[in-house]
Amino acid sequence: MIEPALASRLQFALTTIVHIIFPVMSMGLAPFLVYFTWKDIRTGEPIYEQLRRFWTKIFAISFVVGTVTGIVLEFEFGTNFAAFSTAAGELFGGPLAVEGMMAFMLEATFLGIFVFGRERVGNVLYMISAVAVALGTWLSAVWILIANSWMQTPRGYELVTENGQMIVSLVDPIAAYANPRFPWMYVHMQNAAVLSVALFMAGVAAYHLFRHYHWEYPVDHPQFWEKTLKIALVVLIITAPFQVLHGDAYGRHVAETQPQKFAAMEAVWETESYVPEYIIAVPTNLEDLTNPRAKEIFGIGIPGGASWLASGGDPSAEIIGLNEFETEAPPVAIVFWSFRIMVGLGFWFVLLAFWAGYRWWRGQLLEDDLLHKSLMASSLLGILAVEVGWIVTEVGRQPWVIQGVMKTADGVSPGLTGFEATLTLVSFAAVYLGLLALYSYVVFRIVRAGPPSITPEAPETDVVREETGAGPTPAGGDDD
Amino acid sequence: MTEPGGTVGFAAGATGREAAATLEAGFALQTGGLADGPLLGLPLTELWYGLVFFILGTFLFLDGFDFGVGAIFVTRSEGSAREQLLAAIGPFWDGNEVWLVVFGGALFAAFPAVYANLFSRHYLLMFAILGALIVRGLAPEMYEQRHDETWQRWWGRAFVVGSVAAPLFLGIFAGNWLLGSTALVSLPSLVVGVALVALSTAGGAAFLGLKTRGRLQQETAAYGPKALVAYLALVVVAVGYLFATRPDLRGDLLSPVALGLVGASVVLGAGYVVAMRRESYVGALAATAGLTYGLVALVAALLYPVIDPVAGLTVADAIVSTLPLNLMSIGAALLLPLIFAYFVVLYAAFWGPVEEGEGYAGE
């Protein structure tokens, strides 16, 4: 049996890591779908109907899996972190309730019309549905991140004793909900979602184009994939550099507001000036290889780099070391390496964006095989960057569940047994692994099948072909 | 890691210093009035108690007919009938299920201690509910992804199992809550669970009356009255069992409210059967709405003024403090009418029977 506190944390980590994939897909796809729908209605060009219908399929499956995995998270605060929920419900419950009412309701109802209702409603209501779904997904993130950012930079509260228990009482809602972290987190997350989806779209498009032009294994709609690639690249060229610039400023904000997390990100144990920005760091003792809190480390880095980043340009700036804090350091190695992977990927995306932009400008977009291979290999890396970014945020704030106020270990449900917690943890591991495999399988099938064929005169030809099974093409790839 | 007994621990020295600083900054002036007393002098504690159960009832009614369609799905073997059943709930179930998210959020926001106690006490049951909902939500999507027989047979089975298990576990949860049971399942809560499956099936049959035509409509509608009679019988058994075994609840059970709710359920049940005979499916669906709200109201009335019998918390003990309560009330007053408008738009757009090529296949 795993002890309840550890099992609860592992379970929450697992369920969040899996869940976040689906909101990233739906939040990132939402603006694209609004654009495709708008162009489809305004121009009536078949390619926009193809774009809308193809990407809506992926949106719909992401949304459904996101719904069922999201409810799990909302319930886990009560099931596994009852002490936290009782103590912080005043501040934390409100945003979750408002998220449900303001955002999730909007997206879930209009999604029905957006996915199933093209033939049932007029253009205006259809366009409204597309906007409502997109607005809903983005508003959802507002309230979830308000709740999360409050735990990182808590404000507007007071500790009071109620029925013999300490609780966090809300005294100033504006300070609490418009807390310092929220705008940083929201901009970084939403841009990351759009960037991740742009990378995914570019990767998928590159796969089909590579097949078509390089392998000379014709796909049905090369012009569809070229258009997809170009739209994705425009978005990539905007979002990738923005993410790096924004991340740099965000890092300074973290250094100011959560110095312990920043020290873990840079693996700084002793308070020092001229702290280098390690590219890599390894424990000097072999016994410490599996110890995430090893203090004796050897690193190769840029002299003064971390100080320079923390202060915004001063290589002599002092960084408070982990030894200064009374609380145990977070598992430094996890935070340190996750941060490096995220930053490394961020720079890679910028390089990719400029490279593709340059080829496009020279009119060689479809001729650079290495570029296409790189785009294919990067299609899921945006999501990976989101995952490691959140690991930095959430593991980095340990041991606190509410920074400086309440420890994670004190938030766990008091009555929870090791048996119960282990049982659900193991079940989730199995179920979510299956869920991920299924989701990947379904998305892969949709991607491989490609967009529906549309001719302006007879928009339903593809349906007929699917039903009769006639006219299979190499790209159709239907192996049923 | 946790202290013995898992008491809530706070970091030494963590005070509301930052809060005090922002108070000085003058932010509090803007919301100061909201902390003094309940908004407009309204009995907000009771209103939120009612609202939480209303939201639960709305979820059980709306997603209930989706569950019922899932239960009736088991009786259909033809591919086209199965497609029509899935297409009937396709645009609706996700929105319907969000009422459960809102229930969790509202309970968390208004009665945080109850949310925490109840969900952690019924730990395995909560995850059983979530598991059933995952399977139910995923199955129709998966069913339509491939058109080979084995694939569809298994996802069809999964859809049925999820659709029956979800109301069963939800009913057990409601029964445990009411009875203050700490066991995973007890006989009376199991009866409530089975009753909820029956009520869902009746709702599903009425809903399919609206969404299908011809032989499929006749055959699926026929399950409705049977399911409803089973529901009423199970409710009578549950109430009778409580009367016999729980002397403390006898007074509540004989109160005018409880008797009125049971009486109204019988009348609505009869109304349902008549409406189904006359093929007035809107009326029948409305009757199942009334029955669901009646069941939830009965649970609420029997609990009140206690909200968590095991922890001995009354509504007044558990309610969140005035400022967040007022804020939530403003939020709910603004947002709930909007949500009803969304549902009207959604149901109006898909009014009438499933059309050719509609649903997942035509996505």
Side-chain angles (χ1 to χ4, degrees), chain B residues 7 13 22 27 37 105 119 134 171 194 222 247 251 280 301 308 318 321 328 334 343 356:
Chain B
T7 50
T22 48
F27 280 124
F119 282 31
I134 290 174
V194 178
S280 162
D308 182 356
S321 47
M328 281 305 299
L334 292 174
F343 274 79
E356 196 72 31

Side-chain angles (χ1 to χ4, degrees), chain A residues 127-431:
Chain A
M127 189 66 221
I128 289 173
S129 305
V131 173
V133 170
L135 188 68
T137 60
W138 281 53
L139 274 175
S140 191
V142 167
W143 291 100
I144 296 302
L145 294 183
I146 280 178
N148 186 286
S149 61
W150 178 79
M151 297 156 96
Q152 314 278 347
T153 52
R155 296 287 187 278
Y157 67 93
E158 202 173 68
L159 295 180
V160 297
T161 307
E162 204 172 83
N163 307 326
Q165 265 190 326
M166 283 286 259
I167 72 154
V168 185
S169 182
L170 177 66
V171 290
D172 184 347
I174 296 169
Y177 297 141
N179 66 74
R181 176 62 51 82
F182 171 68
W184 290 107
M185 214 174 222
Y186 189 71
V187 172
H188 207 63
M189 179 63 186
Q190 299 312 98
N191 195 61
V194 177
L195 169 58
S196 301
V197 166
L199 283 163
F200 182 73
M201 289 172 99
V204 166
Y207 162 71
H208 283 278
L209 290 170
F210 193 76
R211 223 164 83 149
H212 189 77
Y213 291 108
H214 185 83
W215 288 339
E216 294 175 357
Y217 185 60
V219 299
D220 261 357
H221 306 280
Q223 74 291 357
F224 171 90
W225 294 114
E226 198 179 325
K227 182 93 181 166
T228 303
L229 179 63
K230 287 180 173 171
I231 291 169
L233 287 181
V234 168
V235 175
L236 184 66
I237 289 166
I238 298 166
T239 52
F242 177 78
Q243 192 72 355
V244 169
L245 294 173
H246 181 265
D248 172 49
Y250 186 179
R252 280 195 293 283
H253 163 78
V254 171
E256 283 163 25
T257 51
Q258 289 181 302
Q260 191 176 10
K261 181 191 283 181
F262 190 81
M265 281 154 64
E266 301 295 349
V268 180
W269 286 94
E270 296 296 335
T271 303
E272 276 169 355
S273 300
Y274 294 102
V275 180
E277 176 66 29
Y278 293 122
I279 308 296
I280 59 157
V282 287
T284 43
N285 298 325
L286 271 182
E287 310 91 78
D288 277 344
L289 218 51
T290 54
N291 174 14
R293 295 184 183 83
K295 291 193 182 185
E296 306 293 322
I297 42 184
F298 168 75
I300 302 168
I302 305 157
S307 293
W308 192 81
L309 286 175
S311 60
D314 175 12
S316 69
E318 187 178 79
I319 294 180
I320 305 166
L322 290 161
N323 288 336
E324 300 270 330
F325 297 92
E326 283 174 28
T327 48
E328 190 193 25
V332 177
I334 297 175
V335 183
F336 177 90
W337 284 110
S338 298
F339 182 63
R340 263 140 203 80
I341 295 169
M342 178 187 74
V343 172
L345 287 171
F347 281 113
W348 165 243
F349 301 153
V350 173
L351 180 70
L352 207 53
F354 287 158
W355 178 8
Y358 175 75
R359 286 294 183 203
W360 190 357
W361 178 55
R362 298 297 301 265
Q364 302 161 332
L365 187 55
L366 301 177
E367 286 149 35
D368 187 340
D369 288 347
L370 188 61
L371 173 66
H372 282 241
K373 284 179 188 165
S374 303
L375 286 171
M376 277 185 256
S378 304
S379 42
L380 299 178
L381 294 185
I383 290 169
L384 177 65
V386 170
E387 297 281 11
V388 287
W390 272 108
I391 289 171
V392 173
T393 302
E394 300 300 294
V395 178
R397 71 164 135 135
Q398 300 304 323
W400 302 104
V401 63
I402 308 168
Q403 178 72 49
V405 180
M406 186 182 196
K407 295 214 177 119
T408 312
D410 297 326
V412 176
S413 303
L416 188 61
T417 64
F419 168 72
E420 289 173 324
T422 310
L423 179 65
T424 56
L425 173 64
V426 172
S427 312
F428 267 116
V431 171

Side-chain angles (χ1 to χ4, degrees), chain A residues 64-115:
Chain A
V64 165
V65 185
T67 302
V68 294
T69 53
I71 300 177
V72 171
L73 291 185
E74 192 203 31
F75 277 39
E76 274 176 337
F77 294 114
T79 50
N80 293 71
F81 296 94
F84 163 77
S85 299
T86 307
E90 270 203 40
L91 276 117
F92 201 78
L96 293 194
V98 174
E99 189 264 344
M101 292 192 287
M102 185 190 276
F104 207 170
M105 278 293 186
L106 184 67
E107 47 184 324
T109 48
F110 283 96
L111 181 80
I113 297 177
F114 185 68
V115 172

Side-chain angles (χ1 to χ4, degrees), chain B residues 150-167:
Chain B
T150 317
W151 175 269
Q152 294 207 330
R153 188 166 60 240
W154 281 101
W155 283 111
R157 281 175 188 160
F159 179 54
V160 173
V161 169
S163 298
V164 173

Side-chain angles (χ1 to χ4, degrees), chain B residues 14-82:
Chain B
T15 65
R17 261 178 291 126
E18 285 159 346
T22 48
L23 278 174
E24 280 167 15
F27 280 124
L29 289 175
Q30 296 164 30
T31 50
L34 284 172
D36 296 341
L39 204 65
L40 308 171
L42 290 167
L44 288 183
T45 306
E46 283 71 24
L47 283 175
W48 271 94
Y49 181 72
L51 185 62
V52 163
F53 281 98
F54 170 76
I55 293 169
L56 180 63
T58 307
F59 164 68
L60 291 176
F61 162 58
L62 289 175
D63 221 10
F65 61 68
D66 300 330
F67 297 146
V69 170
I72 292 170
F73 190 86
V74 78
T75 67
R76 303 293 103 187
S77 50
E78 284 169 66
S80 71
R82 292 189 146 207

Side-chain angles (χ1 to χ4, degrees), chain A residues 27-42:
Chain A
M27 291 189 304
L29 274 169
F32 287 98
L33 288 175
V34 169
Y35 174 72
F36 297 155
T37 307
W38 171 252
K39 292 292 275 186
D40 176 22
I41 290 173
R42 285 300 295 241

